[in-house]
Amino acid sequence: MKRILFYAVTLLATLTACHDTQVPETYTKVNKAPHIYPDYKDVTIPVNIAPLTFEWDGSCDEIVARFTAGNQQMVCGGEAVQPAVKEWRQLLTAATGKDVKVEVFVRQGDAWTGYRPFTITVSPDSINPYISYRLISPSYVTYEELTLNQRCLENYDERVMVDNMLCSTEVNGQCVNCHNYQQYNPRRMQFHARQNHGGTVISYDGHLRKINMRNDSILSAGVYPAWHPWLPLIVYSTNRTSQTFHTRHHNKIEVFDAGSDLIAYDVEKNEVTNIENDTTEFEVFPAWAPDGKTLYYCSAHFEFRDTIDHSTEVIFRAKEVKYNIYKKTFDPETLQFGPHQLVFQADSLGKSATLPRVSPDGRYLMFTLGNYGVFHIWHHEADLYLMDLKDGTVRAMDEVNSPDTESYHSWSSNGRWIIFSSRRDDGDFTRPFMAHIDAAGRGSKPFELPQADPDYHRQLLKSYNIPEFMHGPVEVTPQAFARLLKDSDGEAVKYVQKLSQ
């Protein structure tokens, strides 16, 4: 029979209490991990992250947590555990490079239970202070309710950067998407508006422009972007994108391309040129290496039989479409690209690789691997993989993956953190998760984006799309972006056979 122990707890003089909350004097201790949401047990966090708030994952009358780091203590509780920002920062400063011990106590009626302590490791590696993402509803009924938001990771400040409702209506709807930055710089940003008031918006060192990138010499306007690390140059994929909806398949939507190429766009000259446009290849998701001399991208070989409409044919043959990872050399002096080279042959494994992203030190290439197709955010089998570019080895990142979707990953500027979208919470909504990456390319247990209210994500009926790190906030107002979109038809892009200095 297990012995039940009762403990009387005396608090240290260095205790900081949240709203005069106290650890219970008497409780039953059990050798079980506390069942909390979000799950922050045994995670590694940056020293500058906002407080990790959590609640009991179930029903209880009260929850209390004691955080201990050296001679520093903090006690928080009530309906949820919500540390104050000031006291949290003091605690993390004391725990930098070490662990915070967390003890959780839960009251049911008059009885308190104390659970097995867990730790939170505080890494001295800081994280970029801002991220941005698109918030999108899962239903086309509220399609116009799209925003591009930015969030300070050091507190809970979230602001709208681009508000689609300032431009669109139910009759004249549009989409905003594909926000991207040059080297994490919020003053060098681009995003797209589709359909009504459509165009590519470029914010470059305080100058706002709307570009009409449609041209008879290219497949479509730019879609998925990749800024060169320092040149005023953006490589895009151009895509003929469609989607189909499943009635019984657990992957509810299949987003696919019936054609895609790569183009390069000179921001200063407003010139564009094709760099990959093989009609039997679907090229997509460009990504620069940090040295600016190598461009990675994905491509799927697909030959149409021309017996039916191309989009319909891709639907019928969707599971045949499998993407490999390629690279092209690039000369920053002449702006010329070399021939493509195979980097990772996913189709030989019966898989499809998408979204290559290179670590800031140039050592690792992270990508998403699914069974087929290009839009893995809807694929529940999709996982993150890591290639060591030094020796070419590839492995599944089992330490960060879950049984559900992992996709849309980005590296922090110091290469020590990743952020990615995951459906691990409920299988339906994507949420941002972060993980520490050490020098050997190993990840820590991911932690969910902290919120002031720990139940926030359970109540939010929107998905986070394309989380990107930033050095600071975008200062352009949503109203300024909306005026540009509504009042301008956009500068018509000029097509050239090749880019030149």
Side-chain angles (χ1 to χ4, degrees):
M1 178 181 295
K2 293 183 179 179
R3 185 172 56 178
I4 298 177
L5 301 178
F6 295 89
Y7 291 80
V9 180
T10 302
L11 303 183
L12 299 180
T14 54
L15 169 69
T16 299
C18 300
H19 309 298
D20 299 321
T21 302
Q22 301 290 326
V23 170
E25 294 184 359
T26 303
Y27 57 86
T28 301
K29 184 177 181 181
V30 297
N31 188 28
K32 294 181 180 179
H35 197 36
I36 60 172
Y37 174 81
D39 178 12
Y40 291 135
K41 299 186 295 290
D42 304 319
V43 297
T44 297
I45 61 173
V47 66
N48 59 326
I49 197 70
L52 305 187
T53 68
F54 57 86
E55 61 189 358
W56 188 250
D57 195 7
S59 61
C60 74
D61 295 308
E62 189 176 354
I63 181 173
V64 169
R66 176 166 58 192
F67 301 82
T68 305
N71 65 351
Q72 298 288 319
Q73 281 195 3
M74 178 176 64
V75 177
C76 298
E79 293 183 358
V81 174
Q82 297 168 292
V85 172
K86 181 179 179 181
E87 286 77 14
W88 176 259
R89 288 177 177 167
Q90 293 173 348
L91 184 75
L92 265 55
T93 298
T96 302
K98 297 174 286 189
D99 292 340
V100 175
K101 178 183 177 182
V102 186
E103 301 164 271
V104 175
F105 308 86
V106 172
R107 180 174 65 85
Q108 304 277 4
D110 295 328
W112 284 92
T113 301
Y115 289 83
R116 185 172 67 235
F118 63 89
T119 59
I120 296 174
T121 301
V122 182
S123 171
D125 297 323
S126 61
I127 200 166
N128 292 86
Y130 276 81
I131 59 172
S132 59
Y133 40 81
R134 182 173 69 163
L135 288 179
I136 181 170
S137 300
S139 170
Y140 285 83
V141 175
T142 55
Y143 179 74
E144 296 86 2
E145 264 188 48
L146 292 173
T147 58
L148 302 181
N149 288 26
Q150 57 188 347
R151 160 70 191 271
C152 180
L153 291 179
E154 297 177 344
N155 53 47
Y156 307 114
D157 184 21
E158 181 184 40
R159 298 181 183 180
V160 173
M161 297 188 301
V162 180
D163 187 346
N164 196 46
M165 292 293 284
L166 293 176
C167 295
S168 67
T169 65
E170 292 181 1
V171 177
N172 297 309
Q174 72 176 58
C175 173
V176 292
N177 55 21
C178 298
H179 54 284
N180 192 260
Y181 310 88
Q182 185 177 47
Q183 289 295 89
Y184 311 91
N185 185 350
R187 288 176 53 80
R188 295 185 175 184
M189 171 196 183
Q190 79 92 64
F191 69 91
H192 303 307
R194 308 291 185 195
Q195 300 167 293
N196 189 41
H197 304 305
T200 295
V201 173
I202 296 178
S203 173
Y204 197 80
D205 293 344
H207 184 46
L208 283 180
R209 297 163 64 201
K210 178 181 175 182
I211 307 300
N212 177 8
M213 209 171 292
R214 293 187 179 277
N215 187 281
D216 291 341
S217 296
I218 59 179
L219 184 68
S220 73
V223 180
Y224 302 114
W227 282 86
H228 187 272
W230 67 85
L231 293 174
L233 180 70
I234 307 175
V235 171
Y236 293 96
S237 63
T238 57
N239 304 67
R240 288 177 178 162
T241 301
S242 300
Q243 55 192 342
T244 184
F245 299 84
H246 300 297
T247 57
R248 291 183 294 176
H249 199 281
H250 67 290
N251 292 336
K252 300 175 184 177
I253 298 176
E254 190 64 39
V255 180
F256 60 91
D257 289 329
S260 54
D261 297 329
L262 294 183
I263 62 172
Y265 172 70
D266 188 313
V267 174
E268 293 181 343
K269 296 181 179 179
N270 195 31
E271 294 178 345
V272 67
T273 190
N274 284 300
I275 57 177
E276 282 286 337
N277 59 348
D278 189 330
T279 57
T280 64
E281 293 286 332
F282 295 162
E283 300 97 349
V284 70
F285 293 135
W288 286 100
D291 65 2
K293 297 179 180 179
T294 306
L295 178 75
Y296 291 85
Y297 66 97
C298 300
S299 185
H301 185 76
F302 191 88
E303 297 185 22
F304 289 101
R305 295 166 184 163
D306 286 326
T307 55
I308 55 176
D309 173 75
H310 282 187
S311 293
T312 303
E313 184 171 351
V314 176
I315 292 174
F316 288 157
R317 300 172 58 193
K319 293 185 178 181
E320 297 178 30
V321 183
K322 301 179 190 294
Y323 288 76
N324 298 318
I325 299 177
Y326 294 84
K327 67 179 180 180
K328 294 172 72 68
T329 59
F330 176 73
D331 186 339
E333 297 296 325
T334 64
L335 305 185
Q336 299 308 301
F337 292 87
H340 66 266
Q341 306 169 55
L342 181 65
V343 175
F344 178 67
Q345 191 170 359
D347 62 0
S348 67
L349 306 174
K351 299 290 184 179
S352 182
T354 61
L355 292 164
R357 292 289 183 97
V358 185
S359 60
D361 63 1
R363 174 69 183 275
Y364 298 106
L365 177 72
M366 191 176 297
F367 59 93
T368 300
L369 196 69
N371 289 340
Y372 60 91
V374 69
F375 212 70
H376 286 153
I377 196 65
W378 284 106
H379 282 222
H380 291 283
E381 82 281 356
D383 280 328
L384 296 180
Y385 277 68
L386 194 72
M387 170 180 279
D388 188 333
L389 294 175
K390 186 176 181 179
D391 59 23
T393 57
V394 177
R395 68 174 185 87
M397 299 191 71
D398 294 330
E399 69 274 26
V400 302
N401 290 326
S402 74
D404 219 300
T405 307
E406 267 71 56
S407 187
Y408 278 127
H409 43 282
S410 297
W411 294 89
S412 65
S413 60
N414 62 8
R416 286 291 170 257
W417 302 93
I418 59 169
I419 187 168
F420 59 96
S421 294
S422 178
R423 294 185 189 265
R424 66 186 64 197
D425 276 354
D426 55 23
D428 292 318
F429 294 93
T430 54
R431 307 298 186 208
F433 283 77
M434 288 165 275
H436 185 263
I437 305 295
D438 65 20
R442 302 296 303 182
S444 64
K445 176 182 175 180
F447 66 94
E448 193 163 351
L449 175 67
Q451 298 287 354
D453 179 358
D455 206 47
Y456 178 81
H457 283 153
R458 284 176 163 170
Q459 304 298 321
L460 179 67
L461 301 181
K462 291 187 177 182
S463 285
Y464 291 75
N465 187 237
I466 315 180
E468 293 277 358
F469 285 109
M470 306 148 67
H471 286 317
V474 170
E475 300 292 351
V476 182
T477 66
Q479 291 78 13
F481 281 133
R483 283 195 298 271
L484 176 68
L485 286 170
K486 290 190 294 185
D487 297 344
S488 170
D489 292 330
E491 303 173 38
V493 74
K494 178 183 178 182
Y495 182 81
V496 295
Q497 292 297 323
K498 65 178 182 178
L499 299 178
S500 61
Q501 285 281 29

